[in-house]
Amino acid sequence: MSTGTVRAEAADGSAGLGREQRGWYVYDWACSVYSTSVLTVFLGPYLTSVAEHAADAGGYVHPLGIPVRAGSFFAYAVSLSVILAVVVMPLAGSAADRTGRKKPLLAAAAYTGAAATTGMFFLDGDRYLLGGVLLVVANAAQSVGMMLYNSYLPQIAPPEQRDAVSSRGWAFGYAAGSLVLVADLVLYSAHGSFGLSETAAVRVCLASAGLWWGAFTLVPLRRLRDRPARVGPAAPGLRQLAATVRDMRRHPLTLAFLLAYLVYNDGIQTVITQASVYGSEELGLGQSTLIGAVLLVQVLAVAGALAMGRLARTYGAQRTILGSLVAWTLTLAAGWFLPAGAPAWFFVLAAGIGLVLGGSQALSRSLFSHLVPPGKEAEYFSAYEMSDRGMSWLGPLLFGVTYQLTGSYRSAIVSLVAFFVLGFVLLARVPVRRAIREAGNPVPEKI
């Protein structure tokens, strides 16, 4: 084979990967609107108000006969959704690796979540149970879809590009969230001009996120391609989860990273899902203020993700993540002192969150991609997604229980500091270079 032919084939391969990378970014553009508009901004306060409307004189609702304080219902529903995802993700991940057919599974997860989100248009009156069911389905489906999406990263980007590619993916997601939040803010603020009530405007914002998710998912489904399957049948049911765990025990340093990530990301996910509830219920801020604050987070997260990607090239991903955890701890602790009815200070807190949010998530994903044994991307990313969303029920549960016991959202929000402190200690103890070598992967110059 001539040198020219080799170069041409290499160029074709590089062009093919570039096309896949661009398609891969678009899935973050598609599904991140759910995380931003639905989970972070509208659904928490709105579902809480629906539950409060259905509550008895003592402030409790009774799903399946279980007394639950209305203010805790949303947090408990989030916890239930991620417990469901724990059961589904290992099965989907193993099937993806062993059949090589990730795209049909990604399509099923994406359109299940998009349909459930679109169905939130019918959440009205005292239908808190409908809202809880749709939240459980949509959130679990997003977790499965993100697991499959993340598992493409080691296949579409060589080791030296993964920090940058992962950061760009997060940046695309936050850019989409910003764009849609601007439209949501216009619709919500001027709902009367559009002939809508305030609650109808919220329901339109919820449903439109599902339509956006479904429409833009078509792009990655056209551009991403499936790889050859691994040999061997998939184990049924929970046996697959046990098989995945047994295999991961052969890579204890990968497990050590996942434990650290589970802890600090539990805090991140809880802040994302509960910040609007804290702002509305404890600080007495209006919906327009909350939308503006989350929009600020989205805009700064784009810059933060790209900037922390550049910092990782100089200082390594592990050190950059550790620095972000210090920033998370200081920012969250400051949340205790925010005065009620003072939007300016809430915006300052939002700015601090935005600057570290995207980078800490993007670099954690790219760092883990180096710790995955070749050929087991989806299976191992199912465990990662459990740490990312599937095991992130402890934070919402702690938040909900703390509020139920104290009646104070300030106590609930400050309790989350423990996740960042412990996560820092656990991550600092992981010898990342040795972990990459033991997984059978080349070690980048900066990691």
Side-chain angles (χ1 to χ4, degrees):
M1 183 178 294
S2 68
T3 302
T5 301
V6 171
R7 288 177 178 171
E9 290 182 353
D12 288 342
S14 178
L17 285 181
R19 185 175 188 273
E20 282 194 274
Q21 288 172 7
R22 290 187 291 274
W24 186 78
Y25 299 150
V26 175
Y27 188 72
D28 229 326
W29 174 274
C31 73
S32 290
V33 170
Y34 164 82
S35 298
T36 304
S37 292
V38 177
L39 202 59
T40 304
V41 176
F42 287 107
L43 190 58
Y46 184 64
L47 183 55
T48 299
S49 70
V50 171
E52 289 172 346
H53 186 264
D56 60 21
Y60 287 82
V61 291
H62 300 268
L64 303 178
I66 302 170
V68 174
R69 190 187 287 265
S72 296
F73 180 75
F74 174 69
Y76 289 156
V78 172
S79 295
L80 180 59
S81 73
V82 292
I83 291 172
L84 173 62
V86 167
V87 177
V88 178
M89 282 191 293
L91 307 181
S94 177
D97 283 335
R98 295 175 188 275
T99 66
R101 293 177 57 79
K102 290 182 183 179
K103 283 205 295 185
L105 294 168
L106 177 61
Y111 285 108
T112 297
T117 305
T118 305
M120 291 176 186
F121 179 79
F122 302 102
L123 175 58
D124 198 8
D126 60 357
R127 298 175 181 174
Y128 77 95
L129 274 179
L130 173 64
V133 170
L134 292 175
L135 169 58
V136 167
V137 173
N139 218 37
Q142 195 208 28
S143 295
V144 174
M146 285 299 294
M147 174 271 294
L148 294 164
Y149 162 76
N150 287 337
S151 71
Y152 276 100
L153 180 58
Q155 298 174 340
I156 65 172
E160 66 276 7
Q161 292 184 9
R162 287 182 199 165
D163 287 344
V165 170
S166 183
S167 296
R168 288 189 202 113
W170 281 108
F172 263 68
Y174 286 119
S178 301
L179 179 64
V180 173
L181 269 183
V182 170
D184 288 342
L185 182 59
V186 171
L187 178 63
Y188 180 82
S189 300
H191 56 82
S193 301
F194 294 97
L196 297 172
S197 66
E198 183 176 344
T199 58
V202 171
R203 292 188 290 117
V204 169
C205 291
L206 293 172
S208 63
L211 296 175
W212 178 285
W213 187 356
F216 284 102
T217 295
L218 293 172
V219 176
L221 292 179
R222 286 181 60 87
R223 292 200 170 189
L224 293 172
R225 63 184 181 87
D226 289 328
R227 265 69 177 180
R230 291 201 297 132
V231 179
L238 293 178
R239 287 173 52 194
Q240 181 55 50
L241 175 59
T244 300
V245 172
R246 283 196 301 271
D247 188 77
M248 293 190 73
R249 290 174 62 185
R250 297 172 48 237
H251 303 280
L253 296 181
T254 300
L255 276 176
F257 172 83
L258 275 179
L259 176 61
Y261 182 66
L262 182 155
V263 173
Y264 70 75
N265 189 67
D266 207 340
I268 293 174
Q269 295 299 321
T270 308
V271 172
I272 291 172
T273 59
Q274 304 303 322
S276 290
V277 176
Y278 178 68
S280 63
E281 299 296 322
E282 183 68 33
L283 303 182
L285 303 177
Q287 190 71 60
S288 296
T289 298
L290 297 176
I291 295 173
V294 175
L295 178 59
L296 178 63
V297 169
Q298 299 298 303
V299 171
L300 291 179
V302 175
L306 297 176
M308 288 181 65
R310 288 192 290 270
L311 285 174
R313 290 199 293 270
T314 302
Y315 300 104
Q318 185 181 26
R319 289 183 179 178
T320 307
I321 295 169
L322 288 171
S324 76
L325 296 182
V326 174
W328 270 108
T329 301
L330 297 175
T331 302
L332 195 60
W336 169 271
F337 301 100
L338 290 187
W345 287 109
F346 191 71
F347 280 113
V348 171
L349 186 72
I353 291 174
L355 289 173
V356 294
L357 175 60
S360 56
Q361 293 176 316
L363 294 178
S364 295
R365 177 171 65 185
S366 60
L367 180 56
F368 180 73
S369 73
H370 295 287
L371 308 180
V372 177
K376 297 186 177 181
E377 290 83 8
E379 186 176 348
Y380 271 60
F381 266 105
S382 71
Y384 176 85
E385 193 66 21
M386 287 181 202
S387 299
D388 190 358
R389 287 177 175 82
M391 289 301 287
S392 293
W393 55 271
L394 287 174
L397 182 62
L398 175 62
F399 188 94
V401 169
T402 302
Y403 175 74
Q404 179 141 344
L405 293 177
T406 67
S408 169
Y409 283 105
R410 291 185 188 273
S411 298
I413 202 74
V414 82
S415 69
L416 304 178
V417 168
F419 289 98
F420 296 101
V421 174
L422 181 57
F424 179 97
V425 173
L426 293 174
L427 179 60
R429 298 181 62 183
V430 178
V432 171
R433 289 185 173 275
R434 182 154 62 92
I436 295 173
R437 285 193 295 269
E438 291 184 2
N441 294 316
V443 181
E445 181 179 351
K446 288 289 185 180
I447 195 63

